[in-house]
């Protein structure tokens, strides 16, 4: 090596996290109330409390992204099929009585995540209210579907849907 003289060194990534995860710049409201991420809880790492019929995919931060993405896609299809089989038109995780955890989103300790914690939905103190970063733990939960977490979800019959 040679020494390379520098006039200035910039030691920042410039990474800016979205303000309203996972909606980003979309303006979303539920029953006339604007969606604000910190007012909601993460359900199973793929749905949000109080936001009906919304599924999102977020892969693992410590393993292959597609491992979780594939599992979540199958889970979504199973939930949609469950709705159809039972004549339901809407599902919405309900976080009544859920205690907030102080865990950091995505199980990351990076400065850009910890500084922006208030931009994310809340994590609960116990499953299914959070995100698990373990393929084998989730494989058991999502492959052996008993839908035991359904006590946390409010369902609305298809006939009760209001036409827009």
């Amino acid at each position: 090596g040679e020494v390379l003289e520098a006039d200035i060194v910039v030691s920042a990534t410039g990474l800016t996290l979205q303000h309203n995860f996972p909606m980003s710049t979309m303006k979303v409201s539920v029953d006339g109330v604007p969606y604000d991420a910190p007012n909601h809880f993460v359900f199973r790492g793929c749905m949000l409390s109080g936001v009906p019929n919304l599924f999102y995919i977020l892969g693992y931060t410590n393993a292959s992204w597609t491992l979780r993405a594939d599992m979540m896609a199958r889970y979504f299809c199973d939930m949609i099929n469950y709705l159809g089989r039972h004549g339901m038109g809407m599902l919405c995780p309900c976080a009544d009585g859920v205690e907030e955890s102080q865990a950091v989103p995505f199980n990351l300790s990076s400065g850009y995540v910890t500084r922006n914690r208030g931009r994310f939905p809340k994590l609960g103190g116990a499953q299914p209210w959070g995100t698990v970063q373990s393929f084998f733990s989730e494989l058991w939960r999502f492959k052996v579907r008993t839908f035991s977490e359904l006590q946390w979800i409010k369902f609305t019959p298809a006939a009760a849907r209001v036409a827009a």
Side-chain angles (χ1 to χ4, degrees):
E2 295 179 32
V3 174
L4 178 62
E5 296 292 328
D7 293 330
I8 188 169
V9 175
V10 178
S11 61
T13 63
L15 183 62
T16 302
L17 298 177
Q18 51 183 298
H19 288 275
N20 214 18
F21 181 85
M23 309 304 182
S24 189
T25 59
M26 292 187 300
K27 294 193 185 303
V28 175
S29 64
V30 177
D31 295 331
V33 178
Y35 170 80
D36 186 31
N39 295 330
H40 298 270
F41 278 90
V42 172
F43 181 82
R44 283 214 170 259
C46 61
M47 291 186 271
L48 299 166
S49 65
V51 182
N53 291 356
L54 173 80
F55 296 100
Y56 64 91
I57 292 179
L58 191 66
Y60 292 116
T61 57
N62 60 359
S64 169
W65 190 269
T66 55
L67 281 174
R68 189 165 198 278
D70 181 59
M71 203 170 0
M72 293 296 93
R74 291 173 191 271
Y75 180 67
F76 299 164
C77 290
D78 287 349
M79 289 297 280
I80 290 167
N81 289 334
Y82 181 90
L83 288 175
R85 281 193 311 274
H86 293 88
M88 301 293 167
M90 184 179 78
L91 64 92
C92 186
C94 178
D96 293 342
V98 174
E99 292 187 29
E100 184 176 356
S101 165
Q102 296 304 309
V104 179
F106 318 118
N107 201 26
L108 294 175
S109 59
S110 308
Y112 67 90
V113 173
T114 56
R115 282 190 305 275
N116 293 288
R117 187 169 175 213
R119 293 184 180 188
F120 295 103
K122 297 179 274 195
L123 300 175
Q127 287 300 320
W129 298 102
T131 302
V132 176
Q133 292 293 317
S134 168
F135 172 72
F136 293 107
S137 293
E138 287 198 315
L139 181 65
W140 175 255
R141 254 186 223 117
F142 288 111
K143 293 281 187 183
V144 182
R145 289 179 199 76
T146 60
F147 291 111
S148 61
E149 76 274 4
L150 296 184
Q151 80 262 16
W152 295 105
I153 298 178
K154 290 184 180 178
F155 292 93
T156 304
R161 287 186 294 178
V162 178

